[in-house]
Amino acid sequence: MPLDPATQKIRAFDQVGTRPLRPDGLDKVTGRARFGADATAPGMLVGRILRSPHAHARIRSIDATKAEALPGVKAVVTSKDFADRSDDLRDILVNIMARGKALYEGHTVAAVAATSASVARKALKLIKVDYEVLPHVTDVDLAMEPDAPLLHDDLITSGVEPVPTKPSNIARKIEFGHGDVDKGFAEADLVVEREFKTEATHQGYIEPHACLASVGSDGQGELWVCTQGHYMVRDVCAQLLGMDVSKLRVTASEIGGGFGGKTTVFIEPVALALSRKAGRPVKVVMTRDEVFRASGPTSSTSMRMKIGVKKDGRITALDALLKYQGGAFAGAPVDYGGMAGVACYDYPNIRVVGYDVVTNRPKQAAYRAPGAPMTAFAVESVIAEIADTLKLDPIEMRLKNAAKEGTKSAYGPTFGPVGLVETLKAAKAHPNYKVKLGKNQGRGIASGFWFNFGGQTCVSLNLNIDGTLALAVGTPDIGGSRASMCLMAAEELGIPYENVRAIIADTSSLGYNDVTDGSRVTFASGMATIHAARDAIKKLCGRAAKVWGIPEEAVVWEKGFAKPSGANAGNFEPMSLKELAANAAKTGGPIAGHYEYNAENAGPSFATHVVDVEVDPETGFTKVLRYLVCQDAGKAVHPSYVEGQFQGGAVQGIGWALNEEYIYGADGRLQNAGFLDYRIPVASDLPMIDTAIVEVPNPGHPYGVRGVGETSIVPPMAAVSNAVSHAVGIRLTESPMSPPRILKALGEQAARKAG
Amino acid sequence: MQYEAPATIDAAVGLLSKAQGLARVLAGGTDLLVQLKSGTLEPDLVIDIKRIPEMTKLVAENGGFRIGAAVPCAVLGENAAVRKLWPGVVEAANLIGSTQIQGRATVVGNLCNASPAADSVPAMMAANAIATVAGPNGKREVPVGDIATAPGKTSLAKGEIVTSVFLPSRPAHSGDAYLRFIPRTEMDIAVVGVGVSLTLGDDGVCKAARVALGAVAARALLAEDAAKAIVGTKLDEKALAKLAEAASAACRPIDDKRGTKEFRIKVAGVLARRAAEKALERARGK
């Protein structure tokens, strides 16, 4: 039971911590829920996008005359339909519509709006693009070579002194840490240094990007879209199209998965430009092929990790070199990824150097704890190897170095109360950790961290005439957050969960809300909901005071009723929320609670994962036998959805570890742009993912809540790698650990033994 | 695009023979509809054969079974007699796609799609199954292994259509098995597939065997040396090792997104051995 951060007493909850059905559940299982592609409007056209078949090519010219002349074609747009700009939206502008060069296979070159899909498809074939094919590069190490094909002739590496005189594919150099690593390694009894590579993966959301845009001749626009952040979509699209923000209203649809990949725009500005030109609504829906080739997968990486320890396992120093490619534009998450990836331990000396590199691949987008799983893979693999070498229990080794309250993190801040130690202890105490392993089986342990964000948030809570409530939040629900919001509002007001209905309001109904990302929503929108409820309660007490003719301060709110605060306040029957609602018109009009703020003090969440695998030594096939996630939720508002986040992150991480990868041909084209050959795990691949919720309250939230959505994907790649390495007796350092890779390593080991 | 659903084989052959441009036959549609939707194929004529009564029948014939070209894989799986006679063929047919896909997909479609990785093809080749082909010049019978010539290409002439596949009867003490390697557990395509069929004498010695390999060459292969390695043996350790070696040696694979050459060669041997052991168990009546 968590402590009430305000009173430091154990707080008991009536509703928070229970598991009611989610308000959107029935609609989703019956098909009534409306997703991005379900939007429709009278006179709607079909929008289709022409994409570059080349990984890197100069666009000499685009001739769309034949397409425009095709009956049924109502508009064709190219980069000429978007004004150029030099601000921080330029990369987005160039990504949504190529200007001068196609920078990756799948890069948008032109788009059409037509009366049917078949006309649109024919029109695309009639657009003649004259390309001058250029040399390309998709590998991060090759892209950093001095003679690598150059993507941008004006890209000068930032973070380097003196400032380079020549452009390169290195967008940024970052460096952080503290202490003296050379001194730290000199003090070490054992130093292990390894190189690692990870392939790019895709978020793999089931719903492809989809939107319906409608811009009238008066310049007013509406957009219905599947996104994690409709305010972001509004603001970015309005700027790219030169519209007043007030003239564009954006409504978020239900979302079939995002995982960070829907925190930017791709088709939305294009659909708006087509609609504006055609004068009719235009719907654009990506195919799965387009999702893989032209949305935002994550970075591939190349890393070097060096850790020194004393004989007892205490870390003396860490030195890391991280190279992340982020596709055709700057922004690979080497900074956050590196910071989060090393965050689990207390290092007397640490230095992390990272490079953000551009290549001829689609611009990366956020993917659940962006960048952290890769660095964690390197850190946790070396920790595992050290524990093996020193014959230390891997959990004891981690406990010896675990970050705790008062630990100075490598990225700067000193941690407050955090739960890594508790997750390690929970893992050690769990029955899974005691199961005896058989032949060809191995166990892997890894820990992970994510910062968690707060951010700009605005909510409204409106009391209806019957005492039920309408809660409007501005953060799309990607993981059951509406249920959590309703629970928190119901908890504050002391009414049944079912009496609160939460909706995701459109951009014209609430103040600005940051994107649903950084595991921020249950924390930030949740805290705003609590404050909005408290705001409403204050007003409700005021109404009761008015009726009773006593001072407002003499009224308290208890479990759904306004009551006199004590005997001195007067002897009145408690007034229910229902009565107050029914009498609202007579006591001052509608009653509502509001809250808007920039949320701070999101508590980080740590996790420890334990996995057992069995590897078929003849085929390299890995079977996951059991998997345990122990993670700190601060306070689990809705435990089922917390467990769902733990399990979902673990499964995505297992896929990343074992089979998921972007495979490029020598021509720079993606070879596996579909779910057949981009292999996310299927249900029968996995055991039920076991979970243990740890609750170390976050002092920054009234209930102690921490975000839980992202940390869960940080440890799996390392945990699975450690398990596979133990099963086969070879340290694996490249993801995915696919059967051909494992079998090759086994063959090389056999050859070494024989030779 | 013209869509036709003729009621007789003759009518289907007539339409195919006269077709201008690209013509495609539609059975379950699990390959064709995907190609149409993605725009990789734009046929001028699609002939749906599901209205042709004899195409939709699975019938016992001469101790074996005739599988009409429009018979879904799920129907094979639900037929206890077919499962008993040719369990390896049925398990191959029931590995294709998912349960829903097996309700539509057909083994003849799997054959004529001419993918080197088709699951049912090595199993049917090991079973020595015979395809019946109807065409403008009448009917002909062709071993299933001779239908596909290269990825997406068949030996069928213009106007020809496979109407059924015949799984023959078999002697006592026979067994077959099909195994494939995929990196997942379902919803995937074979990286390597191996079908083995064998018959034992009363003394337990292997009298006859057929081994077929999928996804290791431009089309499914009959690995005759692999079969020879076990004929005349009791499938002891030495014979199985020779079988694996011969199966690996028969492979002519490529490196692609689904697997490397070296991986396919190695795993073909491993699976040949495991499939032979499974077929042996079945032949022994276990």
Side-chain angles (χ1 to χ4, degrees):
Chain A
M1 190 71 74
L3 297 180
D4 183 331
T7 61
Q8 288 302 304
K9 285 182 188 151
I10 288 174
R11 162 148 195 180
F13 292 99
D14 291 327
Q15 314 225 27
V16 163
T18 63
R19 302 172 184 248
L21 289 179
R22 59 199 291 164
D24 50 317
L26 184 83
D27 283 356
K28 282 179 175 163
V29 297
T30 57
R32 208 167 72 106
R34 281 172 301 165
F35 291 89
D38 294 324
T40 175
M44 187 172 79
L45 301 172
V46 177
R48 282 279 161 98
I49 290 172
L50 184 69
R51 300 185 179 279
S52 168
H54 306 295
H56 195 194
R58 198 172 308 286
I59 301 169
R60 289 203 196 97
S61 64
I62 300 176
D63 179 2
T65 20
K66 280 188 183 161
E68 283 164 337
L70 185 72
V73 171
K74 301 297 178 190
V76 178
V77 297
T78 66
S79 61
K80 288 185 180 150
D81 294 272
F82 296 89
D84 203 356
R85 57 197 310 129
S86 54
D87 60 5
D88 57 2
L89 288 183
R90 188 163 198 278
D91 282 358
I92 293 178
L93 175 74
V94 179
N95 192 40
I96 60 112
M97 189 64 79
R99 297 185 93 83
K101 283 213 294 187
L103 293 165
Y104 54 92
E105 185 220 11
H107 199 167
T108 299
V109 170
V112 301
T115 48
S116 75
S118 61
V119 172
R121 202 154 52 208
K122 271 189 204 131
L124 290 186
K125 287 183 182 165
L126 293 174
I127 300 174
K128 292 286 164 253
V129 185
D130 183 13
Y131 291 107
E132 177 195 344
V133 177
L134 302 170
H136 65 271
V137 62
T138 55
D139 177 82
V140 63
D141 289 312
L142 295 179
M144 292 176 76
E145 299 277 330
D147 57 347
L150 204 58
L151 272 83
H152 307 280
D153 53 20
D154 59 350
L155 184 65
I156 302 291
T157 310
S158 69
V160 178
E161 288 294 337
V163 177
T165 52
K166 283 186 186 164
S168 75
N169 292 325
I170 304 169
R172 273 189 300 169
K173 181 187 179 189
I174 59 141
E175 189 167 346
F176 63 91
H178 55 248
D180 177 347
V181 291
D182 294 331
K183 182 175 144 276
F185 287 121
E187 288 164 9
D189 296 318
L190 172 67
V191 176
V192 172
E193 181 174 3
R194 292 278 187 184
E195 291 190 345
F196 297 88
K197 287 199 103 166
T198 65
E199 284 297 347
T201 54
H202 194 275
Q203 299 84 349
Y205 33 80
I206 297 305
E207 185 192 13
H209 298 267
C211 69
L212 170 61
S214 182
V215 183
S217 52
D218 58 357
Q220 302 210 55
E222 291 221 41
L223 184 71
W224 294 267
V225 59
C226 159
T227 179
Q228 288 176 241
H230 43 316
Y231 292 86
M232 169 278 298
V233 170
R234 177 193 64 180
D235 294 359
V236 171
C237 287
Q239 290 179 74
L240 295 186
L241 286 136
M243 295 168 76
D244 290 343
V245 168
S246 65
K247 287 195 174 147
L248 182 59
R249 177 183 178 203
V250 182
T251 305
S253 69
E254 287 291 347
I255 183 168
F259 313 108
K262 292 174 182 168
T263 56
T264 183
V265 295
F266 300 106
I267 55 175
E268 298 81 0
V270 178
L272 283 163
L274 284 169
S275 175
R276 184 163 67 179
K277 204 163 180 179
R280 284 166 65 172
V282 176
K283 180 150 86 177
V284 179
V285 181
M286 276 197 188
T287 62
R288 181 60 58 187
D289 186 277
E290 289 179 290
V291 171
F292 274 108
R293 288 184 212 278
S295 65
T298 187
S299 291
S300 65
T301 71
S302 176
M303 301 172 287
R304 188 175 50 72
M305 184 62 60
K306 183 178 176 185
I307 298 177
V309 293
K310 301 297 277 183
K311 270 195 199 99
D312 66 355
R314 183 77 187 88
I315 297 171
T316 60
L318 179 147
D319 191 18
L321 173 65
L322 312 172
K323 294 174 275 183
Y324 283 38
Q325 70 75 27
F329 301 90
V334 68
D335 43 4
Y336 283 133
M339 291 170 185
V342 301
C344 284
Y345 306 110
D346 183 0
Y347 310 94
N349 308 287
I350 178 167
R351 176 175 63 196
V352 178
V353 173
Y355 292 98
D356 168 7
V357 181
V358 298
T359 65
N360 295 112
R361 297 187 183 214
K363 177 175 164 53
Q364 66 80 36
Y367 181 14
R368 212 168 189 161
M374 303 79 133
T375 296
F377 170 48
V379 171
E380 296 289 320
S381 293
V382 173
I383 297 271
E385 187 171 342
I386 288 169
D388 291 346
T389 307
L390 297 176
K391 299 197 163 39
L392 294 170
D393 175 275
I395 289 183
E396 289 302 321
M397 157 104 195
R398 285 173 173 82
L399 278 169
K400 212 161 261 176
N401 296 287
K404 47 178 97 61
E405 188 167 4
T407 300
K408 182 178 162 51
S409 68
Y411 65 95
T414 298
F415 288 123
V418 290
L420 176 58
V421 167
E422 288 77 1
T423 68
L424 284 161
K425 287 181 175 165
K428 193 156 188 187
H430 195 277
N432 284 19
Y433 197 64
K434 298 174 181 77
V435 175
K436 267 196 79 142
L437 296 177
K439 204 182 164 200
N440 300 320
Q441 297 181 352
R443 176 164 297 153
I445 317 287
S447 295
F449 159 95
W450 185 248
F451 311 88
N452 294 334
F453 299 166
Q456 300 184 72
T457 310
C458 177
V459 310
S460 274
L461 185 64
N462 288 293
L463 181 63
N464 302 318
I465 53 164
D466 61 353
T468 63
L469 288 126
L471 173 62
V473 296
T475 40
D477 177 357
I478 64 172
S481 62
R482 272 168 292 185
S484 299
M485 300 302 129
C486 292
L487 276 170
M488 286 187 263
E491 183 74 45
E492 283 297 317
L493 287 156
I495 57 170
Y497 163 81
E498 292 76 16
N499 288 8
V500 188
R501 179 174 158 80
I503 61 142
I504 309 304
D506 66 68
T507 54
S508 298
S509 305
L510 283 176
Y512 181 82
N513 278 273
D514 277 332
V515 171
T516 294
D517 70 354
S519 299
R520 74 179 208 87
V521 168
T522 306
F523 167 74
S525 291
M527 183 149 56
T529 297
I530 291 167
H531 286 303
R534 290 177 182 175
D535 183 34
I537 285 168
K538 192 166 180 298
K539 291 170 187 167
L540 287 161
C541 290
R543 297 295 174 90
K546 201 170 171 185
V547 172
W548 291 330
I550 62 173
E552 202 177 306
E553 308 80 59
V555 180
V556 293
W557 189 262
E558 262 180 45
K559 295 190 189 294
F561 290 86
K563 291 176 179 173
S565 59
N568 293 340
N571 188 14
F572 302 103
E573 275 294 300
M575 202 178 284
S576 71
L577 182 62
K578 201 169 173 174
E579 289 169 73
L580 285 158
N583 292 326
K586 286 180 261 172
T587 60
I591 299 171
H594 302 283
Y595 201 71
E596 57 274 335
Y597 69 147
N598 196 351
E600 288 177 5
N601 301 318
S605 177
F606 285 90
T608 298
H609 292 198
V610 181
V611 56
D612 292 348
V613 303
E614 181 171 325
V615 180
D616 181 337
E618 289 189 310
T619 64
F621 181 89
T622 299
K623 182 178 175 163
V624 179
L625 302 171
R626 56 192 73 80
Y627 199 106
L628 169 66
V629 178
C630 303
Q631 189 178 324
D632 179 13
K635 173 65 198 171
V637 175
H638 191 303
S640 296
Y641 303 146
V642 170
E643 288 159 2
Q645 291 295 325
F646 290 5
Q647 293 166 323
V651 169
Q652 287 189 308
I654 291 168
W656 200 339
L658 292 178
N659 285 304
E660 292 182 38
E661 62 178 317
Y662 264 47
I663 303 170
Y664 280 92
D667 56 4
R669 293 179 186 167
L670 184 63
Q671 302 292 298
N672 58 333
F675 279 139
L676 181 58
D677 290 307
Y678 180 89
R679 294 173 160 119
I680 64 173
V682 297
S684 56
D685 291 350
L686 298 164
M688 176 53 85
I689 308 294
D690 299 316
T691 57
I693 300 173
V694 168
E695 293 184 329
V696 176
N698 167 22
H701 186 280
Y703 298 170
V705 168
R706 297 174 192 271
V708 295
E710 286 165 291
T711 300
S712 54
I713 202 176
V714 180
M717 199 170 6
V720 171
S721 175
N722 290 339
V724 170
S725 297
H726 289 143
V728 299
I730 308 164
R731 177 58 43 191
L732 293 165
T733 55
E734 287 183 33
S735 82
M737 287 150 273
S738 58
R741 226 171 232 155
I742 291 176
L743 203 60
K744 187 163 181 251
L746 283 164
E748 287 164 357
Q749 183 195 45
R752 271 197 306 275
K753 278 184 182 165
Chain B
M1 188 184 87
Q2 187 191 350
Y3 169 86
E4 296 287 347
T8 65
I9 290 173
D10 285 349
V13 169
L15 284 163
L16 275 174
S17 306
K18 280 183 288 184
Q20 307 282 322
L22 190 65
R24 277 287 185 275
V25 175
L26 172 70
T30 57
D31 288 309
L32 184 62
L33 294 188
V34 177
Q35 292 163 342
L36 292 182
K37 273 192 175 171
S38 69
T40 53
L41 202 66
E42 291 182 339
D44 303 285
L45 172 65
V46 169
I47 298 175
D48 186 345
I49 58 167
K50 288 190 289 292
R51 310 279 170 83
I52 303 173
E54 60 189 293
M55 295 271 213
T56 63
K57 286 186 182 130
L58 168 64
V59 289
E61 184 181 309
N62 294 333
F65 291 94
R66 184 164 296 282
I67 308 165
V71 173
C73 294
V75 171
L76 288 182
E78 286 163 7
N79 188 308
V82 182
R83 267 202 326 264
K84 186 158 186 283
L85 193 68
W86 290 106
V89 173
V90 175
E91 73 196 352
N94 287 331
L95 283 175
I96 298 168
S98 61
T99 302
Q100 290 95 324
I101 287 167
Q102 287 151 23
R104 302 291 296 177
T106 68
V107 291
V108 171
N110 201 216
L111 180 63
C112 296
N113 186 52
S115 161
D119 284 307
S120 69
V121 176
M124 291 196 290
M125 285 168 72
N128 204 8
I130 305 294
T132 299
V133 178
N137 304 318
K139 285 193 171 182
R140 63 189 179 101
E141 308 230 299
V142 189
V144 289
D146 293 343
I147 295 289
T149 54
K153 299 220 158 48
T154 69
S155 58
L156 298 174
K158 183 170 167 72
E160 284 192 326
I161 181 171
V162 176
T163 60
S164 67
V165 157
F166 179 66
L167 292 174
S169 69
R170 56 192 331 198
H173 311 306
S174 295
D176 74 330
Y178 175 80
L179 290 176
R180 70 169 181 187
F181 182 84
I182 55 171
R184 294 183 286 195
T185 48
E186 60 178 346
M187 299 297 290
D188 216 322
I189 263 189
V191 182
V192 178
V194 182
V196 175
S197 173
L198 53 83
T199 299
L200 305 177
D202 291 337
D203 54 0
V205 172
C206 179
K207 287 200 300 191
R210 290 171 66 87
V211 177
L213 308 172
V216 295
R219 57 177 177 144
L221 297 175
L222 208 55
E224 288 173 25
D225 288 345
K228 276 182 204 156
I230 52 173
V231 173
T233 76
K234 287 190 169 178
L235 279 76
D236 52 283
E237 194 52 42
K238 210 174 123 194
L240 287 170
K242 265 183 81 178
L243 161 83
E245 203 179 306
S248 289
C251 297
R252 299 285 176 268
I254 53 165
D255 279 328
D256 71 2
K257 60 197 171 189
R258 294 183 184 142
T260 57
K261 269 186 219 176
E262 57 168 333
F263 179 79
R264 289 185 155 111
I265 290 169
K266 172 98 200 292
V267 172
V270 172
L271 292 195
R273 181 200 169 108
R274 292 179 183 177
E277 287 173 326
K278 201 168 169 188
L280 179 66
E281 271 184 30
R282 286 174 175 162
R284 286 173 174 166
K286 281 180 189 165

